[in-house]
Amino acid sequence: MIPSRSEPEARSVDPHDIDVLIVGCGAAGLSAAVSAKEQDPAANVVVLERSTRNERGGNTRWSSAYFRMTEELRPADGFDEDFAAFTGGAADPAYVSRLRELSTETLRWLESHGVRFEMVPMFFLTARKPRLGIAGGGAAIVDTLGRVAEGLGVEFRYETTVDGLLTSGAGSERQVTGVHYTDRDGRRGELRATAVLLASGGYEGNVELMRRSFGENAEFMKPVARGGSFNQGELIESAIDIGAARAGEWGNFHGEPVDPRSHMPEAVVMTFPYGILVNADGERFVDEASGTVDEIYEEVCRSIFRQPGNIAYLIADQRLLEIPDFDRATLTDQNPYQAESLEHLAKVLDVDARALTSTVDAYNRAVQPGEPGFDHTAADGLCTIGLQPPKSNWARAVVGAPFVAIPIATAVCFTFGGVAVDQESRVLTEDGMWIRGLWAAGEMTGVYHRKYPGATSVLRSLVFGRVAARGAMLAGRAV
Ligand SMILES: Cc1cc2nc3c(=O)[nH]c(=O)nc-3n(C[C@H](O)[C@H](O)[C@H](O)COP(=O)(O)OP(=O)(O)OC[C@H]3O[C@@H](n4cnc5c(N)ncnc54)[C@H](O)[C@@H]3O)c2cc1C
């Protein structure tokens, strides 16, 4: 654990009189910074950010920024019910209703600052409808709110890593009074503030913490885009260290199936249900198509993560590449491997040729003759017969050379474990008491369990960033 400090030692203490000190400038941190200044233009609001200005924005900068909302900026039907179903009832219903209640006004607020919404096609071939997104994706949120915050006089300090919390008092009297940090020249310093607001993301950039949470193979799992590497969880640990309760499912994460050869962000391969998946031993290990891809990809990712080296290969024949809109769902910039025989394909992949051939033979024998009713746009029920594990949909034989393979690894989008907050974004202890002076929003707060209800993470960062800023400003006025 990273040590948190009681009253600071006298060393390079900054003389600033800070009202709200925000750590991190993704969706949560920037919405908080702008909101704080909107409430009181005279407030002294400071944002400390690990990255350079160009790279600011963590995961948000790289995000597709889809929202679980309608074109009219209203929450999608069944918002709360889906949240409950996906998370197995473990997400705090009060938090979820607050998220829904504030979602429309938050997106209108974002729009009022110049962010433009549009309906964007999804990368699932079974999803017929586009989803609400943003022109320019998450980068547009970061650039727009960043500019607005600068215009309002928020002070940004880049290449500054916050590594712990300053506190005074003990037990229920404990209060967060500031942070300590390391600047770009390696100099350590401390800053005091009336309110500290943590918006520093999850820990998808910290292999050691992921290994502790998810077990072996964490060392083979990379963030789905480079922004995640800035999120290393120091402040989640620091907050826990001073008594914050954990929340969210610590053993889990939101993963995506990506082509590990690609250097593109979010190089997803969402066409895996149309072929078979084998591991590095040439064996199938999962039902590739137990439902539509949007329903099952998280589960399949977890299975891939448990395979040796976190690697699988999508094996198919040419018909995979002929599926309409294949490119919309396969976002890698790398060509599939192709070979005239399965033996040759196995050699290219460095997989045992006999194992791969026998896996494909067994699969082909289990496919229904004539492959009746294949329909790539819906769960077509074209299942294997008598095969373990089964393939429940889109089971077509792998027969026509050249054969095709695409490597797939699970990449971490964000981690589920974080600190507990209430509906006001106040950080709570195990006893449900607020740690005075401390707020948190976005990925670093735990809410998700089991399966991620898609297109809710940017939304909750924006909504609760603003909620936290309101609370922090009110607390400042009360002092
Ligand atoms: C490729 C991709 C696609 C996605 N698509 C979607 C989508 O369509 N819809 C959706 O809802 N979600 C999506 N997500 C997830 C979503 O973008 C993020 O979960 C959300 O934006 C996180 O916002 P945040 O403000 O909590 O954290 P971030 O945006 O990650 O910001 C955290 C900031 O804190 C900084 N920081 C971290 N530690 C420190 C420290 N110790 N000191 C100082 N600064 C620090 C980081 O540098 C970073 O700037 C996607 C994510 C990715 C990567």
Short mmCIF file of all heavy atoms in Angstrom, two decimals, residues 23-29 48-51 55-67 160-163 199-202 204 224-225 227-228 230-235 256 265-266 413-414 441-444 452 454-459 461, ligand 1:
data_model
loop_
_atom_site.label_atom_id
_atom_site.label_comp_id
_atom_site.label_asym_id
_atom_site.label_seq_id
_atom_site.Cartn_x
_atom_site.Cartn_y
_atom_site.Cartn_z
N VAL A 23 -7.87 15.62 -9.05
CA VAL A 23 -6.79 14.78 -9.58
C VAL A 23 -7.31 14.07 -10.83
O VAL A 23 -8.24 13.26 -10.74
CB VAL A 23 -6.31 13.74 -8.55
CG1 VAL A 23 -5.10 12.99 -9.11
CG2 VAL A 23 -5.98 14.39 -7.23
N GLY A 24 -6.71 14.39 -11.98
CA GLY A 24 -7.07 13.71 -13.22
C GLY A 24 -7.95 14.58 -14.10
O GLY A 24 -8.84 15.27 -13.61
N CYS A 25 -7.67 14.54 -15.39
CA CYS A 25 -8.52 15.36 -16.27
C CYS A 25 -9.09 14.55 -17.42
O CYS A 25 -8.97 14.89 -18.58
CB CYS A 25 -7.84 16.64 -16.68
SG CYS A 25 -6.56 16.57 -17.84
N GLY A 26 -9.82 13.50 -17.06
CA GLY A 26 -10.70 12.82 -18.01
C GLY A 26 -12.09 13.40 -17.88
O GLY A 26 -12.27 14.55 -17.41
N ALA A 27 -13.09 12.62 -18.26
CA ALA A 27 -14.47 13.12 -18.23
C ALA A 27 -14.87 13.56 -16.82
O ALA A 27 -15.50 14.61 -16.63
CB ALA A 27 -15.42 12.03 -18.73
N ALA A 28 -14.50 12.77 -15.81
CA ALA A 28 -14.92 13.08 -14.44
C ALA A 28 -14.23 14.35 -13.94
O ALA A 28 -14.87 15.27 -13.42
CB ALA A 28 -14.61 11.90 -13.51
N GLY A 29 -12.91 14.43 -14.12
CA GLY A 29 -12.15 15.57 -13.61
C GLY A 29 -12.52 16.86 -14.32
O GLY A 29 -12.67 17.92 -13.69
N LEU A 48 -4.54 18.50 -11.12
CA LEU A 48 -3.22 17.88 -11.26
C LEU A 48 -3.37 16.67 -12.17
O LEU A 48 -4.27 15.85 -11.98
CB LEU A 48 -2.69 17.43 -9.89
CG LEU A 48 -2.58 18.51 -8.81
CD1 LEU A 48 -1.95 17.94 -7.54
CD2 LEU A 48 -1.79 19.71 -9.30
N GLU A 49 -2.50 16.57 -13.15
CA GLU A 49 -2.65 15.52 -14.18
C GLU A 49 -1.29 14.89 -14.47
O GLU A 49 -0.31 15.58 -14.70
CB GLU A 49 -3.27 16.15 -15.44
CG GLU A 49 -3.21 15.32 -16.70
CD GLU A 49 -3.84 13.95 -16.59
OE1 GLU A 49 -4.98 13.84 -16.11
OE2 GLU A 49 -3.17 12.96 -16.97
N ARG A 50 -1.29 13.55 -14.50
CA ARG A 50 -0.03 12.82 -14.71
C ARG A 50 0.57 13.05 -16.10
O ARG A 50 1.79 13.13 -16.25
CB ARG A 50 -0.29 11.32 -14.54
CG ARG A 50 0.99 10.49 -14.55
CD ARG A 50 0.73 9.02 -14.86
NE ARG A 50 -0.18 8.39 -13.96
CZ ARG A 50 0.16 7.82 -12.80
NH1 ARG A 50 1.41 7.82 -12.41
NH2 ARG A 50 -0.75 7.25 -12.05
N SER A 51 -0.29 13.16 -17.10
CA SER A 51 0.23 13.18 -18.48
C SER A 51 0.60 14.60 -18.90
O SER A 51 0.39 15.56 -18.17
CB SER A 51 -0.84 12.63 -19.43
OG SER A 51 -1.86 13.59 -19.59
N GLU A 55 -1.56 14.71 -24.08
CA GLU A 55 -2.08 13.35 -23.83
C GLU A 55 -3.18 13.34 -22.78
O GLU A 55 -3.66 12.29 -22.38
CB GLU A 55 -0.94 12.44 -23.36
CG GLU A 55 0.09 12.23 -24.43
CD GLU A 55 0.42 10.77 -24.61
OE1 GLU A 55 -0.46 10.00 -25.02
OE2 GLU A 55 1.56 10.41 -24.29
N ARG A 56 -3.56 14.51 -22.29
CA ARG A 56 -4.50 14.54 -21.17
C ARG A 56 -5.81 13.85 -21.56
O ARG A 56 -6.19 13.82 -22.73
CB ARG A 56 -4.79 15.99 -20.75
CG ARG A 56 -5.57 16.79 -21.78
CD ARG A 56 -5.84 18.19 -21.31
NE ARG A 56 -6.46 18.98 -22.37
CZ ARG A 56 -6.75 20.27 -22.26
NH1 ARG A 56 -6.47 20.93 -21.16
NH2 ARG A 56 -7.32 20.90 -23.27
N GLY A 57 -6.48 13.35 -20.55
CA GLY A 57 -7.80 12.78 -20.82
C GLY A 57 -7.88 11.28 -20.59
O GLY A 57 -8.95 10.69 -20.77
N GLY A 58 -6.78 10.64 -20.22
CA GLY A 58 -6.83 9.22 -19.82
C GLY A 58 -7.64 8.38 -20.80
O GLY A 58 -7.49 8.50 -22.02
N ASN A 59 -8.49 7.53 -20.27
CA ASN A 59 -9.32 6.68 -21.11
C ASN A 59 -10.32 7.50 -21.92
O ASN A 59 -10.65 7.14 -23.05
CB ASN A 59 -10.11 5.70 -20.21
CG ASN A 59 -9.51 4.31 -20.26
OD1 ASN A 59 -8.66 4.01 -21.09
ND2 ASN A 59 -9.97 3.45 -19.36
N THR A 60 -10.79 8.60 -21.34
CA THR A 60 -11.82 9.38 -22.04
C THR A 60 -11.33 9.81 -23.42
O THR A 60 -12.08 9.77 -24.39
CB THR A 60 -12.20 10.63 -21.20
OG1 THR A 60 -12.54 10.21 -19.89
CG2 THR A 60 -13.37 11.37 -21.83
N ARG A 61 -10.06 10.22 -23.51
CA ARG A 61 -9.54 10.72 -24.79
C ARG A 61 -9.68 9.68 -25.90
O ARG A 61 -9.85 10.02 -27.06
CB ARG A 61 -8.06 11.12 -24.62
CG ARG A 61 -7.34 11.39 -25.93
CD ARG A 61 -6.05 12.15 -25.76
NE ARG A 61 -6.25 13.53 -25.37
CZ ARG A 61 -6.68 14.49 -26.18
NH1 ARG A 61 -6.95 14.24 -27.44
NH2 ARG A 61 -6.84 15.72 -25.75
N TRP A 62 -9.59 8.39 -25.55
CA TRP A 62 -9.58 7.33 -26.56
C TRP A 62 -10.93 6.66 -26.71
O TRP A 62 -11.11 5.74 -27.51
CB TRP A 62 -8.52 6.29 -26.18
CG TRP A 62 -7.17 6.92 -26.15
CD1 TRP A 62 -6.57 7.53 -25.08
CD2 TRP A 62 -6.29 7.10 -27.26
NE1 TRP A 62 -5.37 8.05 -25.45
CE2 TRP A 62 -5.16 7.80 -26.78
CE3 TRP A 62 -6.33 6.72 -28.60
CZ2 TRP A 62 -4.09 8.13 -27.60
CZ3 TRP A 62 -5.26 7.04 -29.41
CH2 TRP A 62 -4.16 7.74 -28.91
N SER A 63 -11.88 7.13 -25.92
CA SER A 63 -13.17 6.45 -25.84
C SER A 63 -14.04 6.71 -27.06
O SER A 63 -14.02 7.81 -27.62
CB SER A 63 -13.88 6.97 -24.59
OG SER A 63 -15.14 6.42 -24.47
N SER A 64 -14.82 5.71 -27.45
CA SER A 64 -15.83 5.94 -28.49
C SER A 64 -16.91 6.86 -27.94
O SER A 64 -17.60 7.54 -28.69
CB SER A 64 -16.49 4.64 -28.92
OG SER A 64 -15.59 3.58 -28.89
N ALA A 65 -17.06 6.84 -26.60
CA ALA A 65 -18.05 7.70 -25.93
C ALA A 65 -19.47 7.49 -26.45
O ALA A 65 -20.17 8.44 -26.80
CB ALA A 65 -17.63 9.16 -26.00
N TYR A 66 -19.88 6.24 -26.50
CA TYR A 66 -21.29 5.93 -26.73
C TYR A 66 -22.03 6.15 -25.41
O TYR A 66 -21.46 5.96 -24.33
CB TYR A 66 -21.47 4.46 -27.10
CG TYR A 66 -21.01 4.08 -28.48
CD1 TYR A 66 -19.90 3.26 -28.65
CD2 TYR A 66 -21.71 4.49 -29.61
CE1 TYR A 66 -19.48 2.87 -29.92
CE2 TYR A 66 -21.29 4.10 -30.88
CZ TYR A 66 -20.18 3.30 -31.02
OH TYR A 66 -19.78 2.91 -32.27
N PHE A 67 -23.30 6.52 -25.53
CA PHE A 67 -24.11 6.72 -24.33
C PHE A 67 -25.34 5.83 -24.38
O PHE A 67 -25.96 5.69 -25.44
CB PHE A 67 -24.56 8.19 -24.22
CG PHE A 67 -23.42 9.14 -23.96
CD1 PHE A 67 -22.80 9.80 -25.01
CD2 PHE A 67 -22.96 9.34 -22.67
CE1 PHE A 67 -21.73 10.66 -24.78
CE2 PHE A 67 -21.90 10.20 -22.43
CZ PHE A 67 -21.28 10.86 -23.48
N THR A 160 2.28 15.89 -13.47
CA THR A 160 2.30 15.93 -12.01
C THR A 160 1.52 14.72 -11.50
O THR A 160 0.32 14.63 -11.76
CB THR A 160 1.66 17.23 -11.51
OG1 THR A 160 2.40 18.33 -12.06
CG2 THR A 160 1.66 17.32 -10.00
N THR A 161 2.21 13.82 -10.86
CA THR A 161 1.56 12.60 -10.38
C THR A 161 1.25 12.73 -8.89
O THR A 161 2.15 12.96 -8.09
CB THR A 161 2.49 11.38 -10.61
OG1 THR A 161 2.66 11.23 -12.01
CG2 THR A 161 1.90 10.11 -10.02
N VAL A 162 -0.01 12.59 -8.58
CA VAL A 162 -0.41 12.63 -7.17
C VAL A 162 -0.19 11.24 -6.60
O VAL A 162 -0.65 10.25 -7.17
CB VAL A 162 -1.88 13.06 -7.04
CG1 VAL A 162 -2.32 13.02 -5.58
CG2 VAL A 162 -2.06 14.46 -7.61
N ASP A 163 0.56 11.17 -5.49
CA ASP A 163 0.84 9.82 -4.98
C ASP A 163 0.30 9.56 -3.59
O ASP A 163 0.56 8.49 -3.04
CB ASP A 163 2.33 9.45 -5.09
CG ASP A 163 3.25 10.64 -5.04
OD1 ASP A 163 3.04 11.51 -4.20
OD2 ASP A 163 4.17 10.68 -5.88
N ALA A 199 -10.38 11.92 -9.45
CA ALA A 199 -10.98 11.54 -10.74
C ALA A 199 -9.89 10.90 -11.59
O ALA A 199 -9.73 11.22 -12.77
CB ALA A 199 -11.56 12.78 -11.41
N SER A 200 -9.12 10.01 -10.96
CA SER A 200 -7.90 9.52 -11.60
C SER A 200 -8.05 8.13 -12.20
O SER A 200 -7.06 7.43 -12.40
CB SER A 200 -6.75 9.57 -10.59
OG SER A 200 -7.16 9.06 -9.34
N GLY A 201 -9.27 7.72 -12.51
CA GLY A 201 -9.48 6.49 -13.26
C GLY A 201 -9.26 5.23 -12.43
O GLY A 201 -9.08 5.27 -11.21
N GLY A 202 -9.29 4.09 -13.12
CA GLY A 202 -9.13 2.79 -12.46
C GLY A 202 -7.66 2.42 -12.34
O GLY A 202 -6.81 3.29 -12.17
N GLU A 204 -6.14 0.07 -14.69
CA GLU A 204 -5.81 -0.72 -15.88
C GLU A 204 -4.38 -0.50 -16.37
O GLU A 204 -3.89 -1.25 -17.22
CB GLU A 204 -6.82 -0.45 -17.01
CG GLU A 204 -7.05 1.02 -17.34
CD GLU A 204 -8.12 1.68 -16.47
OE1 GLU A 204 -8.66 1.03 -15.56
OE2 GLU A 204 -8.40 2.88 -16.70
N VAL A 224 -6.85 -1.30 -23.56
CA VAL A 224 -7.41 -1.33 -24.91
C VAL A 224 -6.96 -0.12 -25.73
O VAL A 224 -6.96 -0.15 -26.96
CB VAL A 224 -8.95 -1.46 -24.82
CG1 VAL A 224 -9.60 -0.19 -24.36
CG2 VAL A 224 -9.55 -1.95 -26.09
N ALA A 225 -6.56 0.94 -25.05
CA ALA A 225 -5.99 2.11 -25.72
C ALA A 225 -4.98 2.73 -24.77
O ALA A 225 -5.04 2.51 -23.56
CB ALA A 225 -7.08 3.12 -26.07
N GLY A 227 -4.49 5.50 -23.35
CA GLY A 227 -4.91 6.36 -22.23
C GLY A 227 -5.01 5.60 -20.92
O GLY A 227 -4.76 6.15 -19.85
N GLY A 228 -5.34 4.30 -21.01
CA GLY A 228 -5.50 3.50 -19.79
C GLY A 228 -4.20 3.33 -19.03
O GLY A 228 -4.21 3.10 -17.81
N PHE A 230 -2.17 5.44 -18.07
CA PHE A 230 -1.95 6.50 -17.07
C PHE A 230 -2.69 6.20 -15.76
O PHE A 230 -2.41 6.82 -14.74
CB PHE A 230 -2.44 7.85 -17.60
CG PHE A 230 -1.65 8.35 -18.77
CD1 PHE A 230 -2.19 8.38 -20.04
CD2 PHE A 230 -0.34 8.78 -18.59
CE1 PHE A 230 -1.45 8.84 -21.12
CE2 PHE A 230 0.41 9.24 -19.67
CZ PHE A 230 -0.14 9.26 -20.94
N ASN A 231 -3.64 5.29 -15.82
CA ASN A 231 -4.48 5.04 -14.64
C ASN A 231 -3.89 3.89 -13.83
O ASN A 231 -4.06 2.72 -14.18
CB ASN A 231 -5.92 4.74 -15.08
CG ASN A 231 -6.55 5.93 -15.78
OD1 ASN A 231 -5.99 7.02 -15.76
ND2 ASN A 231 -7.69 5.72 -16.40
N GLN A 232 -3.21 4.23 -12.76
CA GLN A 232 -2.44 3.21 -12.04
C GLN A 232 -2.93 2.95 -10.63
O GLN A 232 -2.31 2.21 -9.87
CB GLN A 232 -0.96 3.60 -12.05
CG GLN A 232 -0.46 3.66 -13.50
CD GLN A 232 1.01 3.97 -13.63
OE1 GLN A 232 1.73 4.01 -12.65
NE2 GLN A 232 1.43 4.19 -14.86
N GLY A 233 -4.03 3.58 -10.27
CA GLY A 233 -4.71 3.20 -9.03
C GLY A 233 -4.08 3.66 -7.73
O GLY A 233 -4.53 3.25 -6.66
N GLU A 234 -3.06 4.54 -7.80
CA GLU A 234 -2.43 4.95 -6.53
C GLU A 234 -3.45 5.54 -5.57
O GLU A 234 -3.38 5.34 -4.36
CB GLU A 234 -1.38 6.05 -6.72
CG GLU A 234 -0.25 5.75 -7.62
CD GLU A 234 -0.47 6.33 -9.01
OE1 GLU A 234 -1.63 6.34 -9.47
OE2 GLU A 234 0.52 6.73 -9.63
N LEU A 235 -4.38 6.33 -6.14
CA LEU A 235 -5.28 7.05 -5.25
C LEU A 235 -6.44 6.19 -4.77
O LEU A 235 -7.03 6.46 -3.73
CB LEU A 235 -5.73 8.34 -5.91
CG LEU A 235 -4.50 9.26 -5.98
CD1 LEU A 235 -4.66 10.34 -7.00
CD2 LEU A 235 -4.18 9.83 -4.62
N GLU A 256 -12.19 -6.28 -23.74
CA GLU A 256 -12.61 -6.32 -25.15
C GLU A 256 -11.67 -7.24 -25.92
O GLU A 256 -10.47 -7.30 -25.62
CB GLU A 256 -12.57 -4.91 -25.76
CG GLU A 256 -13.67 -4.01 -25.21
CD GLU A 256 -13.81 -2.69 -25.95
OE1 GLU A 256 -12.83 -2.23 -26.58
OE2 GLU A 256 -14.89 -2.11 -25.89
N PRO A 265 -5.93 2.01 -31.38
CA PRO A 265 -6.76 1.90 -30.18
C PRO A 265 -7.99 1.06 -30.50
O PRO A 265 -8.50 1.11 -31.61
CB PRO A 265 -7.17 3.35 -29.88
CG PRO A 265 -7.00 4.08 -31.17
CD PRO A 265 -5.92 3.37 -31.94
N GLU A 266 -8.43 0.30 -29.52
CA GLU A 266 -9.66 -0.47 -29.62
C GLU A 266 -9.76 -1.26 -30.94
O GLU A 266 -10.74 -1.15 -31.67
CB GLU A 266 -10.88 0.44 -29.46
CG GLU A 266 -12.06 -0.28 -28.85
CD GLU A 266 -13.24 0.63 -28.52
OE1 GLU A 266 -13.33 1.74 -29.06
OE2 GLU A 266 -14.09 0.19 -27.71
N CYS A 413 -10.36 -2.61 -20.72
CA CYS A 413 -10.88 -1.28 -21.00
C CYS A 413 -10.83 -0.47 -19.69
O CYS A 413 -10.25 0.60 -19.64
CB CYS A 413 -12.31 -1.42 -21.53
SG CYS A 413 -12.92 0.05 -22.32
N PHE A 414 -11.43 -1.03 -18.65
CA PHE A 414 -11.28 -0.42 -17.32
C PHE A 414 -11.57 -1.47 -16.26
O PHE A 414 -12.20 -2.49 -16.53
CB PHE A 414 -12.17 0.82 -17.13
CG PHE A 414 -13.64 0.57 -17.37
CD1 PHE A 414 -14.44 0.00 -16.41
CD2 PHE A 414 -14.21 0.92 -18.59
CE1 PHE A 414 -15.79 -0.23 -16.63
CE2 PHE A 414 -15.57 0.68 -18.83
CZ PHE A 414 -16.35 0.11 -17.85
N ALA A 441 -15.08 10.48 -8.33
CA ALA A 441 -16.02 10.24 -9.44
C ALA A 441 -15.33 9.47 -10.55
O ALA A 441 -14.10 9.48 -10.67
CB ALA A 441 -16.53 11.58 -9.97
N GLY A 442 -16.16 8.82 -11.38
CA GLY A 442 -15.64 8.11 -12.55
C GLY A 442 -15.15 6.72 -12.20
O GLY A 442 -15.56 6.10 -11.21
N GLU A 443 -14.25 6.24 -13.06
CA GLU A 443 -13.76 4.86 -12.94
C GLU A 443 -13.21 4.51 -11.56
O GLU A 443 -13.19 3.35 -11.18
CB GLU A 443 -12.59 4.66 -13.91
CG GLU A 443 -12.98 4.21 -15.28
CD GLU A 443 -11.77 4.07 -16.18
OE1 GLU A 443 -10.63 3.93 -15.69
OE2 GLU A 443 -11.97 4.10 -17.39
N MET A 444 -12.70 5.49 -10.85
CA MET A 444 -12.07 5.13 -9.56
C MET A 444 -13.09 4.82 -8.47
O MET A 444 -12.72 4.40 -7.39
CB MET A 444 -11.05 6.18 -9.14
CG MET A 444 -11.56 7.45 -8.62
SD MET A 444 -10.22 8.16 -7.67
CE MET A 444 -10.07 7.04 -6.30
N TYR A 452 -20.48 -5.49 -17.67
CA TYR A 452 -20.60 -4.03 -17.81
C TYR A 452 -21.86 -3.67 -18.61
O TYR A 452 -22.01 -4.13 -19.74
CB TYR A 452 -19.34 -3.53 -18.52
CG TYR A 452 -19.39 -2.12 -19.05
CD1 TYR A 452 -19.72 -1.04 -18.23
CD2 TYR A 452 -19.06 -1.86 -20.38
CE1 TYR A 452 -19.73 0.25 -18.73
CE2 TYR A 452 -19.06 -0.56 -20.89
CZ TYR A 452 -19.40 0.48 -20.06
OH TYR A 452 -19.41 1.76 -20.56
N GLY A 454 -23.15 -1.66 -21.04
CA GLY A 454 -22.39 -0.84 -22.00
C GLY A 454 -22.86 0.61 -22.07
O GLY A 454 -24.02 0.94 -21.80
N ALA A 455 -21.91 1.48 -22.42
CA ALA A 455 -22.20 2.89 -22.69
C ALA A 455 -22.70 3.65 -21.45
O ALA A 455 -23.54 4.54 -21.55
CB ALA A 455 -23.19 3.01 -23.85
N THR A 456 -22.18 3.27 -20.29
CA THR A 456 -22.55 4.00 -19.06
C THR A 456 -21.34 4.60 -18.34
O THR A 456 -21.51 5.33 -17.38
CB THR A 456 -23.29 3.07 -18.06
OG1 THR A 456 -22.47 1.93 -17.78
CG2 THR A 456 -24.62 2.61 -18.61
N SER A 457 -20.13 4.29 -18.80
CA SER A 457 -18.97 4.72 -18.01
C SER A 457 -18.65 6.20 -18.20
O SER A 457 -18.41 6.93 -17.22
CB SER A 457 -17.75 3.86 -18.36
OG SER A 457 -16.71 4.11 -17.45
N VAL A 458 -18.65 6.67 -19.43
CA VAL A 458 -18.41 8.11 -19.65
C VAL A 458 -19.55 8.90 -19.00
O VAL A 458 -19.33 9.92 -18.34
CB VAL A 458 -18.34 8.44 -21.16
CG1 VAL A 458 -18.21 9.95 -21.36
CG2 VAL A 458 -17.16 7.73 -21.82
N LEU A 459 -20.75 8.38 -19.16
CA LEU A 459 -21.92 9.06 -18.59
C LEU A 459 -21.77 9.24 -17.09
O LEU A 459 -21.98 10.33 -16.55
CB LEU A 459 -23.18 8.24 -18.91
CG LEU A 459 -24.50 8.87 -18.48
CD1 LEU A 459 -24.77 10.15 -19.26
CD2 LEU A 459 -25.66 7.89 -18.68
N SER A 461 -19.07 9.20 -15.33
CA SER A 461 -17.95 10.11 -15.03
C SER A 461 -18.42 11.56 -15.12
O SER A 461 -18.12 12.38 -14.25
CB SER A 461 -16.79 9.87 -16.00
OG SER A 461 -16.26 8.58 -15.83
C1 LIG B 1 -11.14 2.63 -26.40
C2 LIG B 1 -12.19 2.90 -25.35
C3 LIG B 1 -13.52 2.94 -25.71
C4 LIG B 1 -14.50 3.20 -24.75
N1 LIG B 1 -15.79 3.31 -25.15
C5 LIG B 1 -16.72 3.71 -24.25
C6 LIG B 1 -18.04 4.01 -24.67
O1 LIG B 1 -18.37 3.93 -25.86
N2 LIG B 1 -18.93 4.43 -23.72
C7 LIG B 1 -18.59 4.55 -22.40
O2 LIG B 1 -19.44 4.92 -21.58
N3 LIG B 1 -17.34 4.25 -21.98
C8 LIG B 1 -16.40 3.87 -22.87
N4 LIG B 1 -15.12 3.63 -22.46
C9 LIG B 1 -14.79 3.78 -21.04
C10 LIG B 1 -14.76 5.26 -20.65
O3 LIG B 1 -14.17 6.02 -21.69
C11 LIG B 1 -13.97 5.50 -19.37
O4 LIG B 1 -14.27 4.53 -18.40
C12 LIG B 1 -14.26 6.90 -18.80
O5 LIG B 1 -14.09 7.87 -19.81
C13 LIG B 1 -13.34 7.17 -17.62
O6 LIG B 1 -13.37 8.52 -17.25
P1 LIG B 1 -12.58 8.98 -15.95
O7 LIG B 1 -12.63 10.47 -15.95
O8 LIG B 1 -13.04 8.25 -14.76
O9 LIG B 1 -11.08 8.47 -16.19
P2 LIG B 1 -10.05 8.86 -17.33
O10 LIG B 1 -10.71 9.44 -18.50
O11 LIG B 1 -9.21 7.67 -17.57
O12 LIG B 1 -9.18 10.02 -16.67
C14 LIG B 1 -8.31 9.77 -15.60
C15 LIG B 1 -7.22 10.83 -15.62
O13 LIG B 1 -6.49 10.77 -14.40
C16 LIG B 1 -5.10 10.89 -14.68
N5 LIG B 1 -4.38 10.26 -13.57
C17 LIG B 1 -4.40 8.96 -13.21
N6 LIG B 1 -3.67 8.76 -12.10
C18 LIG B 1 -3.17 9.97 -11.74
C19 LIG B 1 -2.34 10.41 -10.67
N7 LIG B 1 -1.90 9.57 -9.73
N8 LIG B 1 -1.99 11.72 -10.62
C20 LIG B 1 -2.44 12.60 -11.57
N9 LIG B 1 -3.23 12.22 -12.60
C21 LIG B 1 -3.60 10.93 -12.68
C22 LIG B 1 -4.93 10.18 -16.01
O14 LIG B 1 -3.75 10.57 -16.67
C23 LIG B 1 -6.21 10.61 -16.74
O15 LIG B 1 -6.02 11.81 -17.46
C24 LIG B 1 -14.13 3.38 -23.40
C25 LIG B 1 -12.79 3.34 -23.03
C26 LIG B 1 -11.82 3.12 -24.00
C27 LIG B 1 -10.37 3.13 -23.59
#
